[in-house]
Amino acid sequence: MAGTPSKKRKRPGPSKQPSRGNPQKVHEARDPRHVEPATTRDWISAARLRTLPLAVTPILIGTGAAMLVTDVFHWVIALFCLIVSVSLQIGVNYANDYSDGIRGTDDVRVGPTRLTASRKVKPRAVLTVALVFFLIAAIAGLAIVVRTQQWWLIAVGAVCILAAWLYTGGKRPYGYYGLGELFVFVFFGLVATLGTTWVQAFALPQEAWFGAVGAGLLACAVLLANNLRDIDQDRKAGKRTLTVLIGRTATRWLFTVIVLVAFVIACFLGLFYPIAWLTLLALLSALPAILIVWSYRAPRELVVALGLMSLTSVAYGAFLCWAFVA
């Protein structure tokens, strides 16, 4: 009986132990009023530069395929196609930052800190930047339409912008239901590549189709690496990406297969365009990425795999473009 009060008095004991670090600093770090404003470097980081090569690849392949038909380099149209593609990629990155940030999906991140989730910037400012880049893409796309008189492409452009927003935006974003890879394959593979070829040649040779599939597969590989890195965070946040739905092992196999299939396509094209065999040099970055995906210990290591796959994609596109042009 006498020991009971003493035990009760000892229970608060752990709180008397000296805490690690400065409690005042910890409090300040969690207080939004003390969050430092975003710097230029933060804004650039939010554009996710590692993903931008994915916007260049389809333009390279599409332009090379167009020159098989016309034997003329329509550099102005190709440049505006590049502006559309890159602007859409940056726009969707900022839109993703905004949408995931306000939903709380990015509250605990493994990769780079996001603007919205970190509270360094007001969500409306991030949304505004996303809309500005979508507007740039729309203006450049409209210029292509006026130049080529292909007015039906306005509808295609509108669908592209809508798909970019609905990836993580809206009430039922398709990126939260395992459809991200499918839409990436369609828009950053098929639509971007074939669209680039069409506005320059008004034809779609089979080389453009093969190249579009290759570009789309490599773009999907980058997204898989990104989602594999965020699998635990996404599962807790209720974001059901394809990786969350099928698990780590299946994602690793899918990643490996689609990367290798892209190079099988390049080898097939090499039978008719010998320079296309040089795309195998891009395996120098693809194979290490595959190795990382299978052997990584910490999710942060997958950031390297993501960067390597982006480099693989643009090298792949450059070699195929050279093969078609030569």
Side-chain angles (χ1 to χ4, degrees), residues 57-59 61-63 187-198 208 211-212 215:
T57 301
I59 309 306
I61 297 174
T63 298
F187 287 98
F188 280 95
L190 301 183
V191 174
T193 306
L194 298 177
T196 299
T197 301
W198 179 262

Side-chain angles (χ1 to χ4, degrees), residues 202-217:
F202 302 121
L204 296 176
Q206 60 183 358
E207 291 85 353
W209 286 95
F210 281 114
V213 171
L217 290 174

Side-chain angles (χ1 to χ4, degrees), residues 280-320:
L280 295 179
L281 291 175
L283 285 170
L284 294 174
S285 55
L287 292 179
I290 293 175
L291 180 62
I292 292 172
V293 165
W294 279 97
S295 63
Y296 78 96
R297 297 293 184 89
R300 189 173 297 276
E301 296 173 35
L302 290 168
V303 175
V304 178
L306 191 154
L308 287 173
M309 284 311 307
S310 292
L311 177 62
T312 298
S313 175
V314 74
Y316 183 94
F319 283 125
L320 281 188

Side-chain angles (χ1 to χ4, degrees), residues 3-4 64 106 113-114 118 124 139 146 218 223 230 249 271 273 276:
T4 302
D106 284 342
T113 301
R114 300 303 183 212
S118 66
R124 185 177 295 275
I139 293 173
V146 172
L218 294 178
L223 183 56
D230 296 336
T249 300
L271 298 177
Y273 304 94

Side-chain angles (χ1 to χ4, degrees), residues 124-138:
R124 185 177 295 275
V126 180
L127 175 60
T128 300
V129 173
L131 294 178
V132 166
F133 278 100
F134 287 151
L135 179 61
I136 293 173

Side-chain angles (χ1 to χ4, degrees), residues 131-316:
L131 294 178
V132 166
F133 278 100
F134 287 151
L135 179 61
I136 293 173
I139 293 173
L142 184 60
I144 294 173
V145 169
V146 172
R147 173 67 178 81
T148 62
Q149 295 295 294
Q150 300 292 297
W151 298 101
W152 58 274
L153 287 176
I154 292 178
V156 176
V159 171
C160 289
I161 294 176
L162 184 63
W165 169 252
L166 292 178
Y167 173 51
T168 55
K171 293 183 179 180
R172 298 181 67 85
Y174 62 83
Y176 279 63
Y177 295 93
L179 297 175
E181 285 76 9
L182 175 61
F183 277 77
V184 164
F185 176 80
V186 170
F187 287 98
F188 280 95
L190 301 183
V191 174
T193 306
L194 298 177
T196 299
T197 301
W198 179 262
V199 296
Q200 296 183 64
F202 302 121
L204 296 176
Q206 60 183 358
E207 291 85 353
W209 286 95
F210 281 114
V213 171
L217 290 174
L218 294 178
C220 288
V222 172
L223 183 56
L224 283 172
N226 180 79
N227 289 342
L228 186 60
R229 180 197 66 190
D230 296 336
I231 183 171
D232 293 327
Q233 165 199 338
D234 289 341
R235 185 179 287 120
K236 293 177 181 178
K239 184 177 182 180
R240 296 182 294 174
T241 62
L242 180 61
T243 297
V244 169
L245 293 176
I246 66 177
R248 285 187 174 87
T249 300
T251 298
R252 289 180 172 120
W253 278 111
L254 181 59
F255 178 90
T256 304
V257 169
I258 65 175
V259 171
L260 295 181
V261 168
F263 282 96
V264 169
I265 292 173
C267 290
F268 174 74
L269 291 173
L271 298 177
F272 308 96
Y273 304 94
I275 293 178
W277 288 102
L278 292 177
T279 56
L280 295 179
L281 291 175
L283 285 170
L284 294 174
S285 55
L287 292 179
I290 293 175
L291 180 62
I292 292 172
V293 165
W294 279 97
S295 63
Y296 78 96
R297 297 293 184 89
R300 189 173 297 276
E301 296 173 35
L302 290 168
V303 175
V304 178
L306 191 154
L308 287 173
M309 284 311 307
S310 292
L311 177 62
T312 298
S313 175
V314 74
Y316 183 94

Side-chain angles (χ1 to χ4, degrees), residues 10-92:
K10 290 181 180 180
R11 285 180 182 177
S15 63
K16 296 180 181 180
Q17 295 178 359
S19 59
R20 297 180 181 180
N22 188 332
Q24 186 176 359
K25 289 185 178 181
V26 173
H27 174 72
E28 290 179 357
R30 295 179 179 178
D31 189 344
R33 294 174 299 178
H34 294 85
V35 174
E36 295 182 359
T39 63
T40 301
R41 185 174 182 177
D42 292 326
W43 281 101
I44 294 175
S45 176
R48 309 184 196 182
L49 301 185
R50 290 186 182 88
T51 66
L52 296 191
L54 301 178
V56 178
T57 301
I59 309 306
L60 290 172
I61 297 174
T63 298
M67 292 183 67
L68 288 173
V69 178
T70 65
D71 200 29
V72 176
F73 178 35
H74 298 281
W75 69 271
V76 175
I77 296 179
L79 176 61
F80 274 77
C81 287
L82 182 63
I83 293 173
V84 171
S85 186
V86 172
S87 297
L88 280 176
Q89 179 68 67
I90 296 175
V92 75

